[in-house]
Every structure is written in C-alpha cells, then in structure tokens.
Amino acid sequence: MRAAVITAPQTTEIVDVPTPTAGPHDVVVRIRACGICGSDTLYISLGGLPPRQGRMPIGHEPAGEVVEVGAEVSGISVGDRVVVNPMAAADDIIGNGGSTGALADYLLVKNAVRGKSIEVVPDHIPYEVAALNEPMAVARHAVNQVAPRQSDQVLVFGAGPIGLGITLALKSRGVRSVVVADVLPSRLDKALKVGADAVINSAAEDLAARLTELHGTGTSMWPDRAGTDIFLDAAGVPAVIDTALGVAKRGAKLGVVAVHNEPVSMDLMNLMANELTIVGSMGYPSEIFEVTDDIVENWEKYRVIISHTFDFDDLAEALQCVATPGKADKVVITMN
C-alpha cells in the first residue's frame, strides 16, 4: 500500500509499505480522508522525530471504512465508517513518532475498543468532515479547560481551524456571547457561519473599543477594561497575550491552546491585581470522542472549516498549501 513518510528534513515521500492485517484484537481501516495538521509541517522541517527521524510515517487526523475486524473485537463491523484516536497507544502514537501514520491507504488500529481507540459515525457524515474529529477534540479540550458558563462572554483570538472549533464548542455549550478576532476577512466570515455572535477585524478596528462595545465595561483597578469573562488564544502570537491581558477585567481567564514559538512577557502586577487566571491546554485527554456527537449533529457547520481537499497523489501540493501563511484553513487529503 501507499504511505506518506518523512525521509529527510523538508522531504516527504509516498512509498510502498506492507498492507497491515488485523490480529484478534485489532481492526484495519481503509483511510478515506486525513487532515493535515500544522504539526505535520513541523515534523517535516525536522526530518521526523526520534526514534524514527529520517523514516517517520505521518498523518494523525483520519477517517475511514473498516475492512477487517479481529475475532475478539466487539461493536465494530466491516463497512463501518469510523474515526480513530491516534493517541490511544501512548507508546505508539499514530503519525506523531509512532510506527504508523494515517496518511496511508490502510491503518491498523491495535486493541480496537469503541469509545477508546475507535468510534463509529453515521454513513451520511462525509469522510472529510469526520476527519476533523481529532483537531476538534483539541478545540473542545481548550474550552473544557476554561470551563465557560452559559452567562459568560468570550473572545476567541484566531479563526483558523482550532479557533473555529472553539467557537462551535462554545456555542454548543450555550455560551451567550462568542466574539472572534482575526486579521483575515475570509476567516471572520467563516466564524460567523459557524455561529460566532460577532467578529472583530483586529487589523482594521480598535479591538479594545469594539470589545467594550460588545461586552460592556468590566471592573478593574485600571480603566478601559472590557466585560469579557474569558479569552482564548488560538492564534499563537505575542500580541494576542498583550491584548488580552491589557483589556482583561478582574477575575477574567485566558486560555492558551495555540503554540507560541518564542517567549512571551507579561505584567505580573496586572495579573496579581486583577486576579487573572491563565490556563494552558494541550491535546485531548478525554475529548477525542466527546466531540464526535457534536460533529455528527452539526456536520454542515463543521464542513465550513475545510478550505481545501487534495487527492493523496497531490500530497506535495497539499503540504505546500498548508505551509503557506494565510493560504488555507483546514486541508484534508482524500483517498478513493
């Protein structure tokens, strides 16, 4: 079968590898769609991760069709449309330094257990939408980390795939006001389509003034603070942290899910005086299939997140698309 493998820094090839077969506790999934994550481009730039640097399979956002089921597996049948938890085996993470990747014709899911390593989705959900399950679990965990109440007012920085997923998760929890800020009008349009109550073009508008207009004024030791309860950083630039902490009222939370590639400084007196809370978020300890039901229920909104689909044979073009800043939102590889 074909599989995408990092063979050197900045080099990914589609190579022939043995087609997997299922043991008694495993299933084999024919991959129909697999998203490309920003981390994939990082791994490619590094030439992979130890111990597979120089020969590392990639792809960790799969959806596909079950084609083989082990004799001891229950609740899963040949022909089922499924999504996969790439983190289920901590010592063999799919597409993140493990022995297999999901950018391949077939994927072996070891110790296949519904609700733990694999889950079935209805046949009417397009494969490319089902492939959003993994990144949307990242977004769902970020929301769970800040524990919003329905009465809260929230600002999401960044309307890329994770920011849009956060917006969907917030609205599914009934949060009353979700505002999304970005510098790209096309992304802000998508934010409105998936349910944002308002958007702010932070390149063209005074964000603090607009936020105060939307959320009112908050209590603080300093003037001109917005009434926003929660800020979520899905952008990963220092200006977001500066802006959020600069307008945060007493008791506000800042959740950070975006990757920051450089240190960020902050005014700790502001943090202390306004008793602000900063919460980190990484991965999805329990959310990988928590988000699945919401994708199934609202799949047409989730489909808005996808900006490009490419055939597996056009992987090089797809990777270039992902690596070009501002060119794509979510890129998904499809296999026939």
Side-chain angles (χ1 to χ4, degrees):
M1 70 170 189
R2 302 171 301 169
V5 175
I6 299 170
T7 56
Q10 304 296 346
T11 304
T12 304
E13 300 178 39
I14 297 176
V15 301
D16 289 327
V17 299
T19 302
T21 58
H25 300 283
D26 312 327
V27 303
V28 174
V29 177
R30 181 181 179 185
I31 300 299
R32 296 288 194 161
C34 184
I36 297 178
C37 177
S39 64
D40 292 325
T41 60
L42 172 62
Y43 301 154
I44 293 167
S45 70
L46 297 172
L49 297 173
R52 293 181 174 82
Q53 201 150 17
R55 189 74 181 179
M56 178 181 147
I58 58 170
H60 58 270
E61 300 181 4
E65 176 188 359
V66 174
V67 294
E68 185 181 355
V69 179
E72 302 298 321
V73 176
S74 62
I76 304 170
S77 302
V78 170
D80 281 345
R81 190 171 298 216
V82 294
V83 291
V84 174
N85 179 5
M87 306 285 285
D91 60 346
D92 196 12
I93 299 173
I94 295 168
N96 287 270
S99 61
T100 60
L103 272 169
D105 289 320
Y106 296 92
L107 176 68
L108 177 67
V109 180
K110 301 175 183 176
N111 298 313
V113 177
R114 281 194 67 172
K116 181 178 179 181
S117 56
I118 193 167
E119 190 53 271
V120 177
V121 297
D123 289 346
H124 71 275
I125 306 301
Y127 284 112
E128 62 268 26
V129 177
L132 295 173
N133 195 90
E134 195 272 352
M136 293 304 97
V138 172
R140 178 63 62 103
H141 180 58
V143 171
N144 287 348
Q145 283 291 89
V146 296
R149 302 162 298 183
Q150 289 188 339
S151 60
D152 281 339
Q153 302 185 111
V154 181
L155 174 62
V156 180
F157 289 95
I162 300 300
L164 294 175
I166 286 171
T167 302
L168 281 155
L170 289 166
K171 296 311 294 185
S172 74
R173 290 177 69 137
V175 173
R176 73 181 177 107
S177 177
V178 179
V179 178
V180 178
D182 203 295
V183 298
L184 296 176
S186 61
R187 288 189 167 182
L188 294 174
D189 288 342
K190 287 194 172 189
L192 290 170
K193 288 178 181 178
V194 303
D197 297 289
V199 297
I200 301 173
N201 186 330
S202 51
E205 300 178 76
D206 183 326
L207 185 142
R210 177 66 174 140
L211 193 59
T212 300
E213 178 185 331
L214 292 165
H215 286 171
T217 302
T219 301
S220 169
M221 290 189 66
W222 291 280
D224 303 322
R225 297 295 174 119
T228 308
D229 301 290
I230 297 172
F231 301 85
L232 277 153
D233 171 21
V237 294
V240 164
I241 306 299
D242 294 341
T243 300
L245 298 182
V247 298
K249 68 176 182 178
R250 181 187 298 275
K253 295 179 184 178
L254 167 61
V256 180
V257 63
V259 174
H260 283 259
N261 294 317
E262 56 187 72
V264 179
S265 62
M266 64 183 67
D267 179 359
L268 292 182
M269 181 59 73
N270 176 34
L271 189 77
M272 293 168 57
N274 282 309
E275 298 184 340
L276 305 177
T277 300
I278 299 177
V279 182
S281 179
M282 175 68 77
Y284 36 87
S286 62
E287 290 84 0
I288 185 65
F289 300 129
E290 175 188 323
V291 74
T292 308
D293 287 343
D294 196 56
I295 293 175
V296 170
E297 184 176 349
N298 298 291
W299 69 267
E300 290 174 307
K301 285 186 177 181
Y302 280 93
R303 185 164 61 180
V304 171
I305 295 172
I306 301 169
S307 60
H308 296 74
T309 58
F310 290 87
D311 185 83
F312 194 18
D313 289 333
D314 299 320
L315 178 62
E317 184 181 354
L319 291 172
Q320 183 59 45
C321 183
V322 172
T324 304
K327 185 173 182 179
D329 297 321
K330 190 64 188 177
V331 174
V332 178
I333 298 294
T334 58
M335 290 87 152
N336 296 321

